[in-house]
Amino acid sequence: MTALSIQNLKKTYNNGFVALKGVDLDVQRGDFFALLGPNGAGKSTLIGIISSLVNKTSGLVSIFGHDLDKDNVAAKTCIGVVPQEVNFNQFETSMSVVMNQAGYYGIPRKQALRRTEQCLRQMELWDKRDVVSRRLSGGMKRRLMIARAMVHSPRLLILDEPTAGVDIEIRRSMWEMMQEVNKQGTTIILTTHYLEEAESLCRNIAIINNGQIIEKSAMSSLLSRLHTDHFVLDIARPLSLAPIIAGYDIVLNADTVLDVAVPKSHGLNRLFQALSEQHIEVLSLRNKSNRLEQLFLDLVQ
Amino acid sequence: MNYSVAFLTILFKEIRRFTRIWPQTLLPPAITTALYFLIFGKLIGDRIGLVHGVSYMDYIVPGIILMSVISHSYSNVVSSFYSTKFQRHIEELLVAPVPNYVILAGYVCGGIARGVLVGVVVAGISMMFTHTTILHWDIAAAVFVLTATLFALAGFINAVFADSFDDISIIPNFVLTPLSYLGGVFYSVAMLPGIWQKIAQANPILYMINAFRYGMIGVSDVQIELAFAMTGGLIVFLTALSLLLLHKGIGIKN
Ligand SMILES: Nc1ncnc2c1ncn2[C@@H]1O[C@H](COP(=O)(O)OP(=O)(O)OP(=O)(O)O)[C@@H](O)[C@H]1O
Ligand SMILES: [Mg+2]
């Protein structure tokens, strides 16, 4: 069963700007799905329409089989949204932000209190429950929005750049949290500009550019399209010329740094063997850039 | 689905909001009213004598109470709903399965609650200056609540169209306050010269104030039935308009 199904979705804003030009997208139940695209591509517009914050111009959206227009109560009940920008009442405490949202979903008070505590604890905000929300740090505000989005136990959680501006430690704990939630059966759609995040978390991916989906596939099959890996090698002794090794494209970046393009068909063993023969001692090795990032740039440009 | 939880959540949130900021919401009307009674009732009223057979002080009490109900039910909804839009937490309601009529009912009842509470505070203060008794409780209470409802709805519509904080003070300053003053709070229309009587009768607030005055002290310049019909009709019209605006997402959705 599809968690989200979108057919020929179009959006023209009031000022005439066409933000979505006929988007088709299916996200399977249980998936951890990445929605990627450059600034202004239309990601937030798409999420806005799915979560009833933006009126669509035409097209169909259904969530777990519930049409968003015809069966909107059932459809809305299935979704939790974490928006890109802070949108809670900054004068209320963390606790009442989450409690109110539970109330809007019709959850009776006793049950709402229990769920609110669970969600705030999961987001490590329980200690901050009585703090007025505008006094929370940026990362805490994001976590508060995640807690709020989960209070009614949605089957589909949509996160619009939840890790933007969040420190490394918290980002890692958010990754763990998202994986945990996904493991428990919640379908997740994530947008992010940190492609290594998408690469390590998500199983399927869509790339949107200028209001159109330009790529849809499984993460692994997308990555396997990359035939060349780029590495950076730090070497022990300075060189004046880049070594020449058949099959590999090597550039001397600084006198002790080599950039090497390694075709998948050749692998690394042959490279190291050849380097040893030329008495070049390698101290360390790292990826030049994230693999998904290279593909992304190729596709978007 | 049962929407009572959602409705009560909005209503309690609204009540918490204006009670939390009570120095801005409940204290000023108390002070203003005390000043009205002191200046108009005591200092000037003693020189005016009787109006329609009651003392001037007693004559102005109903109008002053209703005027504060009007301005507070209106301003509660306009400022609360506008800031809900402005801070974007309206989105919390839009993502959830809350029907538009529940959103409207929640905010309007919040405004009624504030209007009624302020009205009671003002009535309490007026009792420190005069000892009017209420002649027709049922009529007074009905006008009180219907007026609060009508102006809470009007405040809601203002908030829907408002694009800036200035927009939420234009109507109260340039329409509501003048119409209230001209609505016969401080005088009987019978005191006005010919043509002005006709003009005054086009002001809906005049009907509400007089109906309320009838409920309290049994004196009115207008027919009570007409006042109820007009208030009821306006409530139906503004409710329909608010629901239409919400349905179209005007000022709320892109
Ligand atoms: N209310 C609006 N009126 C007119 N145009 C808009 C409106 N909101 C967004 N747009 C335009 O629609 C396009 C898509 O915006 P959107 O916010 O969906 O992009 P995004 O993919 O989320 O970008 P980002 O990564 O920067 O968040 C942009 O060109 C934006 O300027
Ligand atoms: Mg965005």
Side-chain angles (χ1 to χ4, degrees):
Chain A
M1 187 192 209
T2 51
L4 171 69
S5 163
I6 294 175
Q7 285 157 41
N8 199 19
L9 187 67
K10 295 183 180 165
K11 171 66 187 177
T12 307
Y13 278 107
N14 288 340
N15 63 1
F17 183 82
V18 183
L20 297 177
K21 303 168 181 163
V23 167
D24 292 292
L25 192 66
D26 282 316
V27 176
Q28 297 306 316
R29 167 188 204 156
D31 204 352
F32 201 135
F33 191 94
L35 179 65
L36 306 182
N39 286 137
K43 303 179 295 295
S44 297
T45 302
L46 184 60
I47 291 173
I49 292 172
I50 300 166
S51 49
S52 308
L53 298 176
V54 174
N55 285 328
K56 63 180 192 277
T57 305
S58 65
L60 286 177
V61 177
S62 82
I63 293 138
F64 287 96
H66 305 292
D67 185 290
L68 194 53
D69 298 321
K70 294 193 205 106
D71 195 2
N72 103 332
V73 171
K76 282 177 164 182
T77 309
C78 293
I79 319 178
V81 205
V82 179
Q84 185 170 1
E85 279 159 51
V86 170
N87 71 342
F88 46 73
N89 187 339
Q90 309 251 353
F91 297 96
E92 305 238 29
T93 61
S94 313
M95 180 90 177
S96 35
V97 166
V98 182
M99 279 297 287
N100 282 345
Q101 189 71 71
Y104 301 153
Y105 282 100
I107 303 172
R109 192 175 160 77
K110 238 172 110 185
Q111 200 183 330
L113 278 166
R114 207 164 353 106
R115 265 308 284 170
T116 299
E117 176 170 351
Q118 275 174 3
C119 294
L120 285 176
R121 279 191 191 282
Q122 191 168 14
M123 286 301 117
E124 293 169 22
L125 282 173
W126 183 241
D127 294 343
K128 304 276 178 193
R129 62 187 176 278
D130 294 324
V131 174
V132 176
S133 57
R134 70 167 180 281
R135 302 229 168 85
L136 296 176
S137 76
M140 292 175 191
K141 286 180 181 165
R142 299 218 155 260
R143 283 183 286 151
L144 177 57
M145 294 201 290
I146 301 180
R148 182 185 63 181
M150 296 201 310
V151 73
H152 62 295
S153 317
R155 298 166 77 187
L156 170 64
L157 185 63
I158 306 177
L159 304 113
D160 197 351
E161 299 190 31
T163 52
V166 171
D167 74 34
I168 294 285
E169 196 184 339
I170 301 216
R171 192 179 312 164
R172 278 180 205 282
S173 77
M174 278 165 79
W175 292 350
E176 274 169 30
M177 178 286 298
M178 288 190 274
Q179 278 172 319
E180 185 58 39
V181 169
N182 179 244
K183 222 180 279 166
Q184 290 163 5
T186 307
T187 310
I188 295 187
I189 299 177
L190 173 74
T191 83
T192 177
H193 292 290
Y194 303 112
L195 298 188
E196 70 281 8
E197 176 172 302
E199 183 179 334
S200 68
L201 292 174
C202 301
R203 289 188 283 281
N204 289 292
I205 179 174
I207 298 179
I208 181 170
N209 193 23
N210 291 323
Q212 278 169 317
I213 303 274
I214 54 169
E215 183 62 53
K216 261 188 288 205
S217 70
M219 185 69 77
S220 53
S221 73
L222 186 66
L223 292 173
S224 70
R225 264 190 254 163
L226 202 62
H227 297 300
T228 313
D229 276 329
H230 292 262
F231 293 98
V232 178
L233 309 185
D234 292 310
I235 52 178
R237 283 176 301 276
L239 294 177
S240 51
L241 276 175
I244 294 168
I245 298 169
Y248 299 90
D249 190 4
I250 304 178
V251 178
L252 188 66
N253 206 344
D255 56 4
T256 58
V257 181
L258 296 175
D259 281 7
V260 190
V262 180
K264 283 240 164 74
S265 53
H266 287 48
L268 284 170
N269 280 5
R270 269 162 62 181
L271 173 70
F272 281 112
Q273 208 174 348
L275 287 169
S276 305
E277 282 163 11
Q278 298 190 21
H279 306 290
I280 297 172
E281 191 186 337
V282 177
L283 297 175
S284 65
L285 161 80
R286 64 197 138 91
N287 270 101
K288 182 168 182 185
S289 65
N290 172 269
R291 295 180 299 167
L292 184 57
E293 209 162 282
Q294 286 174 35
L295 274 167
F296 180 83
L297 290 173
D298 291 344
L299 285 165
V300 167
Q301 272 155 12
Chain B
M1 190 164 164
N2 178 357
Y3 297 113
S4 59
V5 176
F7 168 74
L8 291 175
T9 304
I10 303 174
L11 177 59
F12 289 150
K13 172 177 76 92
E14 286 300 284
I15 292 175
R16 268 202 315 273
R17 191 191 78 97
F18 71 72
T19 45
R20 182 173 55 213
I21 50 172
W22 65 271
Q24 290 166 51
T25 55
L26 299 178
L27 196 57
I31 295 173
T32 322
T33 319
L35 289 173
Y36 276 135
F37 288 126
L38 201 65
I39 296 168
F40 292 104
K42 274 249 177 307
L43 302 180
I44 299 177
D46 284 351
R47 303 180 179 206
I48 293 180
L50 298 182
V51 182
H52 288 304
V54 297
S55 78
Y56 186 65
M57 178 75 102
D58 287 354
Y59 189 80
I60 65 172
V61 165
I64 287 177
I65 294 174
L66 207 65
M67 198 161 71
S68 55
V69 172
I70 289 174
S71 81
H72 284 266
S73 51
Y74 190 94
S75 70
N76 195 67
V77 184
V78 77
S79 58
S80 173
F81 194 68
Y82 177 69
S83 76
T84 301
K85 261 174 52 173
F86 180 77
Q87 287 192 56
R88 309 214 351 218
H89 52 268
I90 181 80
E91 294 180 359
E92 294 176 342
L93 285 161
L94 299 179
V95 297
V98 189
N100 291 334
Y101 71 86
V102 174
I103 298 180
L104 182 68
Y107 278 89
V108 167
C109 288
I112 296 173
R114 162 116 164 248
V116 166
L117 188 60
V118 169
V120 168
V121 167
V122 168
I125 300 227
S126 72
M127 293 309 151
M128 290 161 40
F129 292 86
T130 171
H131 297 285
T132 31
T133 49
I134 296 172
L135 281 183
H136 311 287
W137 269 101
D138 45 352
I139 292 181
V143 179
F144 197 72
V145 174
L146 289 175
T147 305
T149 309
L150 176 61
F151 286 93
L153 280 163
F156 186 85
I157 291 169
N158 187 168
V160 166
F161 285 112
D163 260 334
S164 70
F165 278 102
D166 291 335
D167 293 346
I168 67 173
S169 59
I170 288 177
I171 305 274
N173 286 337
F174 294 100
V175 181
L176 281 190
T177 310
L179 285 185
S180 301
Y181 279 104
L182 298 173
V185 175
F186 297 105
Y187 53 84
S188 159
V189 265
M191 296 170 169
L192 296 174
I195 177 79
W196 289 103
Q197 286 196 18
K198 289 268 175 291
I199 293 174
Q201 275 160 10
N203 176 2
I205 293 180
L206 177 86
Y207 294 82
M208 294 163 213
I209 287 180
N210 274 286
F212 189 57
R213 183 175 286 139
Y214 178 81
M216 280 189 75
I217 59 176
V219 173
S220 170
D221 290 337
V222 303
Q223 255 190 305
I224 305 306
E225 294 79 4
L226 188 58
F228 275 104
M230 181 180 281
T231 314
L234 284 171
I235 288 176
V236 170
F237 172 69
L238 293 190
T239 303
L241 181 58
S242 305
L243 290 175
L244 180 72
L245 292 170
L246 278 173
H247 179 70
K248 298 227 167 206
I250 306 237
I252 295 169
K253 289 193 195 183
N254 280 308

